[in-house]
Amino acid sequence: MARGVYIHIPFCHQICNYCDFNKFYFKNQPVDEYIEALDKEMELATKKYPESFKQIETIFLGGGTPTALSPQQLVKLLELIRTYIPMSSVTEFTSEANPDELSEAKMRALFDGGVNRLSMGVQSFDQELLKKIGRTHSNKHVYETIALAKKVGFRNISLDLMYGLPGQTMAQWKDTLEKAFALDLPHFSAYSLIVEPKTIFYNQYTKGKLHLPTEDLEADMYDVLMNQMEAHGLQQYEISNFAQAGFSSKHNKIYWENDEYAGFGAGAHGYLAGVRYSNHGPLKKYMETVNAGELPIVYEHVVTENEKREEQMFLGLRKIEGITHTIYEEKFKESMHVRYRHVIENLVSEGLLEDDPKGIRLTRKGRFVGNEVFQQFLLED
């Protein structure tokens, strides 16, 4: 049974230099027709998997940029979501947002439509860095939009921040954190830049034109991040996420706990009935398929038992609380130490993992090399 629903809105008024998500420049795109196609996809999926949608806990609008839509388009989108998803069990409804796109009309459309959490892509408070990464907002946009969101009624607001950006200094990173904390918000996500293929930054990188901070400086930025979040009363609950008590992301926890969720929209991914799947990315192919009465799935994979174990380990270890022995044993009817004893013992001896009667978790040292730790839990079929 699915716990969450992800809905992809692949339209942007500006394409960021680091973004590798499925997205399209907004101008001249069939946005209204896309919303109608989403309606048809959700109808098809809820009919095929009726049991999976009875107790949805979270909904997440991602992109692209959901707030690229007009107020009227947002109203229509939120109405169709309520048509197919029983809202009585939904406790968290998030929309991603850009600070320079959230007019009061859009904000009220979201709030009145059931959205109770905003995830805002701020990335930096340094205007020159923002230009380098392709962002169009200013600090003034951020301050005004957050004040407006609070006026409309939003209390659960999260900011996305980035470090390890081209040419970024420690002084710039500390200044961004200082300005972020001054906003007195309950949640922050902070990610190091990853240069992904098919992005503007990747093209610059392959030509030797992208000058990134050293690995040591990036690690120091992460260390400052963790220290400053703790000093400002925000608990780290996942490698890249920090929150006041009661404000951790319920939707993202579904991913980290390796539970099922539905993905709707062009290029969306989902995990239903033991099958991971992805949708057609191109708009034309996506819309043609659903308009023909078929789910727009381009790839499906039945997850094997070993893969479920692997995913449980490398997703669960992203959480600061780690993986409890009880939950693992309930899912797989065996102890973690049956398959992973030597791996766990080696990582504990290296100071990267803690192991106690409650469960296993990354140490602070382990958080700096999380991906290297996760790879140790891959099994051979």
Side-chain angles (χ1 to χ4, degrees):
M1 182 180 291
R3 289 178 57 197
V5 168
Y6 173 82
I7 300 168
H8 193 69
I9 308 299
F11 305 111
C12 296
H13 289 294
Q14 173 69 24
I15 304 298
C16 299
N17 296 345
Y18 54 83
C19 180
D20 71 330
F21 294 119
N22 192 46
K23 76 279 183 187
F24 305 93
Y25 187 61
F26 187 90
K27 190 175 181 181
N28 299 323
Q29 294 294 346
V31 181
D32 291 321
E33 293 85 347
Y34 180 77
I35 295 173
E36 291 173 4
L38 273 174
D39 190 341
K40 293 173 183 175
E41 184 191 3
M42 294 184 77
E43 180 182 12
L44 289 167
T46 52
K47 285 182 177 177
K48 183 175 181 179
Y49 302 103
E51 296 300 315
S52 292
F53 294 93
K54 286 186 175 179
Q55 290 290 321
I56 296 298
E57 301 169 24
T58 67
I59 303 172
F60 195 103
L61 300 180
T65 316
T67 52
L69 304 185
S70 70
Q72 295 77 18
Q73 289 166 337
L74 285 170
V75 168
K76 184 176 180 181
L77 173 65
L78 295 166
E79 285 177 349
L80 79 87
I81 292 171
R82 292 195 300 274
T83 299
Y84 300 107
I85 307 300
M87 300 301 291
S88 58
S89 57
V90 174
T91 58
E92 181 185 275
F93 192 162
T94 302
S95 177
E96 291 182 342
N98 277 344
D100 53 345
E101 291 178 352
L102 264 180
S103 63
E104 184 167 358
K106 291 184 183 183
M107 201 97 70
R108 292 198 179 279
L110 290 169
F111 190 76
D112 293 343
V115 174
N116 58 17
R117 182 176 184 268
L118 292 178
S119 178
M120 204 172 299
V122 171
Q123 318 312 0
S124 175
F125 283 89
D126 186 285
Q127 202 63 51
E128 289 306 310
L129 276 177
L130 288 173
K131 290 178 183 176
K132 281 185 181 180
I133 64 177
R135 303 292 287 176
T136 57
H137 69 266
S138 66
N139 291 354
K140 184 171 181 284
H141 284 128
V142 176
Y143 302 140
E144 290 178 348
T145 300
I146 289 174
L148 181 59
K150 291 179 178 179
K151 174 187 171 185
V152 168
F154 286 101
R155 294 293 174 265
N156 195 349
I157 303 171
S158 175
L159 293 193
D160 280 0
L161 305 173
M162 294 183 72
Y163 59 97
L165 298 173
Q168 187 179 29
T169 65
M170 180 63 83
Q172 288 172 319
W173 178 229
K174 288 181 176 179
D175 181 67
T176 279
L177 290 174
E178 184 179 337
K179 287 182 168 64
F181 293 135
L183 294 168
D184 191 26
L185 298 177
H187 190 283
F188 294 94
S189 299
Y191 305 99
S192 64
L193 174 68
I194 299 175
V195 179
E196 301 282 6
K198 301 180 181 179
T199 65
I200 295 171
F201 272 171
Y202 185 79
N203 292 335
Q204 293 175 357
Y205 181 76
T206 56
K207 296 174 183 176
K209 296 181 179 180
L210 191 69
H211 304 293
L212 301 174
T214 64
E215 289 184 7
D216 286 344
L217 177 54
E218 186 176 311
D220 289 343
M221 288 177 171
Y222 185 51
D223 191 52
V224 166
L225 169 70
M226 290 191 288
N227 291 336
Q228 287 297 306
M229 288 289 173
E230 183 177 5
H232 286 82
L234 291 136
Q235 180 182 0
Q236 184 175 17
Y237 68 97
E238 190 265 350
I239 286 180
S240 304
N241 286 271
F242 307 80
Q244 294 175 3
F247 285 93
S248 59
S249 170
K250 296 177 182 177
H251 184 81
N252 286 339
K253 276 189 173 181
I254 293 172
Y255 302 147
W256 302 324
E257 291 171 359
N258 201 26
D259 285 334
E260 295 192 349
Y261 62 96
F264 296 113
H269 295 250
Y271 182 27
L272 288 175
V275 178
R276 291 198 180 274
Y277 66 90
S278 57
N279 283 350
H280 287 291
L283 289 180
K284 183 178 179 182
K285 185 65 176 178
Y286 167 79
M287 292 191 292
E288 283 179 351
T289 306
V290 294
N291 287 334
E294 299 177 15
L295 286 171
I297 294 172
V298 66
Y299 171 79
E300 289 183 304
H301 174 69
V302 178
V303 182
T304 68
E305 287 302 308
N306 268 1
E307 287 169 337
K308 289 177 183 177
R309 288 181 175 87
E310 291 172 349
E311 292 170 353
Q312 189 74 27
M313 302 306 288
F314 63 71
L315 291 170
L317 281 173
R318 291 192 63 89
K319 299 182 297 176
I320 300 307
E321 67 181 6
I323 305 164
T324 67
H325 293 300
T326 301
I327 289 176
Y328 185 93
E329 288 167 12
E330 285 177 354
K331 280 196 171 185
F332 302 109
K333 313 305 177 190
E334 65 181 24
S335 164
M336 273 188 276
H337 294 93
V338 168
R339 292 175 190 266
Y340 294 113
R341 181 169 62 87
H342 294 301
V343 173
I344 292 171
E345 288 175 351
N346 289 339
L347 291 169
V348 168
S349 69
E350 293 172 17
L352 303 177
L353 209 64
E354 294 176 352
D355 181 18
D356 58 33
K358 186 176 180 181
I360 65 170
R361 67 200 64 83
L362 292 176
T363 61
R364 184 182 173 94
K365 178 183 175 182
R367 295 174 206 172
F368 287 88
V369 289
N371 287 335
E372 295 175 25
V373 173
F374 305 153
Q375 289 174 9
Q376 302 302 308
F377 290 93
L378 297 178
L379 295 166
E380 292 184 8
D381 281 315

